[in-house]
Amino acid sequence: MPGLPTHACLMVAIATPVGRDLRPDQPRLIARIRQLLAMGCDGIALFGTTGEGPALTVADRVETLDAVVAAGIDPARLVVSVGALPVADIARLARHATDAGVEGVLLMPPCAYRDGITEDGTFRFFEAVIDRVERSALRLYLYHFPGISGVPITAGVVRRLDERYPGTIAGIKDSGGDADYTEMLVRRFSHLSIFTGSEVDVPDLMATGLRGTICGLGNVMPRLMRVMMDQPTAFDRRAFLPLILSGDVILSRGPFIPSAKSVVAASLGDPDWRRVLPPLAEIPILERDRLVADFDRWDASLPAECQSLDHDVSPTSGKVVSLRRA
């Protein structure tokens, strides 16, 4: 993949900062992208599940991608999630992102009719999108996340799409949480780039040919993820799993997106980062303060090269002022 490594590729499904108007805060997003790339992340996935993309308008996603690229972020290091309900909106987003030169676009089936969608219907959905994008440069990543969409992307659908659109289907992001299913995809479709959204599956699946991960935890523990993925063997990578799991347990006290945004807000000393889009809600203040403090202590307990936060403490209040690392 141009701009991204062919192995051990760490992509962050970045959280999207939003303003009081519930639109993307472009300066904050651009600054955070730069910071994550400087911390060793290979690329960024914009407007995905963690990025609250489905709650953002088409116009806002178009304008924000333009601003990110105009700021000098290499589009070859970006994957853009283009999920929406109307096929026309998806096609517009995919066409725009492709024309901007991004590495690829990420798309899961829409959830509105989740109980009645067959394999043929899933195929027809992707077929309709690809035919309307009308770009030979389109690189489409199929997004398997049945827990969100209610619709699995089966091996049969992947095979039909790959045969119908050779070179257009670039790969799959599997967030289904079933390592056996991910391994089947890796082995059956070895010519495609397979990413997992489940961080705990990375150590073993990398040994089978997994390209890497597009993950939410990269928002708050990018250096730990980087060090883990850079280990030479699955045995060495597995040694970092207890550390990742112990940090994830802290975040899992509340919904992931508000939890991750709370940590990012503390790390930047910027409370506006806590804002989430409806129907999500911010974590109540007492729970949030405990979560942030515990996550800070967890990060401080890691080996120095794995720490993603600075641990500067205010001499007057005892509260964390800035957890930021450049």
Side-chain angles (χ1 to χ4, degrees), residues 103-300:
E103 157 52 35
V105 299
L106 183 65
L107 178 61
M108 75 168 71
C111 61
Y113 302 103
R114 56 194 296 166
D115 289 336
I117 300 179
T118 63
E119 279 195 352
D120 191 58
T122 305
F123 172 82
R124 290 186 63 243
F125 165 74
F126 286 108
E127 178 185 48
V129 170
I130 294 169
D131 288 347
R132 283 161 178 76
V133 172
E134 298 181 322
R135 293 291 190 275
S136 61
L138 174 66
R139 292 173 55 83
L140 180 64
Y141 287 86
L142 309 176
Y143 192 178
H144 174 72
F145 201 167
I148 294 290
S149 69
V151 182
I153 298 177
T154 65
V157 170
V158 177
R159 177 188 55 76
R160 288 181 66 188
L161 288 168
D162 190 36
E163 291 177 354
R164 174 73 173 80
Y165 301 100
T168 295
I169 305 303
I172 305 161
K173 180 192 176 186
D174 182 6
S175 293
D178 182 345
D180 290 338
Y181 187 77
T182 311
E183 184 174 354
M184 179 276 295
L185 293 173
V186 170
R187 296 188 184 280
R188 188 165 176 179
F189 302 101
S190 59
H191 60 294
L192 300 180
S193 294
I194 312 299
F195 291 88
T196 182
S198 302
E199 295 88 350
V200 297
D201 295 335
V202 169
D204 290 331
L205 288 174
M206 277 179 59
T208 70
L210 184 82
R211 191 66 172 271
T213 181
I214 302 174
C215 65
L217 287 181
N219 282 281
V220 291
M221 53 179 81
R223 283 199 168 104
L224 176 57
M225 290 295 302
R226 178 75 276 160
V227 171
M228 184 266 287
M229 295 183 70
D230 285 346
Q231 299 304 303
T233 68
F235 177 82
D236 295 313
R237 291 189 290 271
R238 280 190 219 108
F240 290 84
L241 280 182
L243 302 179
I244 291 171
L245 289 170
S246 60
D248 190 37
V249 164
I250 298 171
L251 292 171
S252 297
R253 294 175 189 169
F256 178 76
I257 296 171
S259 296
K261 281 191 163 183
S262 294
V263 171
V264 173
S267 76
L268 301 176
D270 182 357
D272 283 345
W273 252 102
R274 294 197 296 259
R275 192 175 292 113
V276 292
L277 295 171
L280 295 176
E282 293 183 26
I283 299 173
I285 185 168
L286 292 179
E287 297 174 25
R288 183 188 72 221
D289 286 350
R290 283 195 295 268
L291 183 151
V292 168
D294 288 347
F295 196 85
D296 179 42
R297 281 190 288 270
W298 166 82
D299 186 81

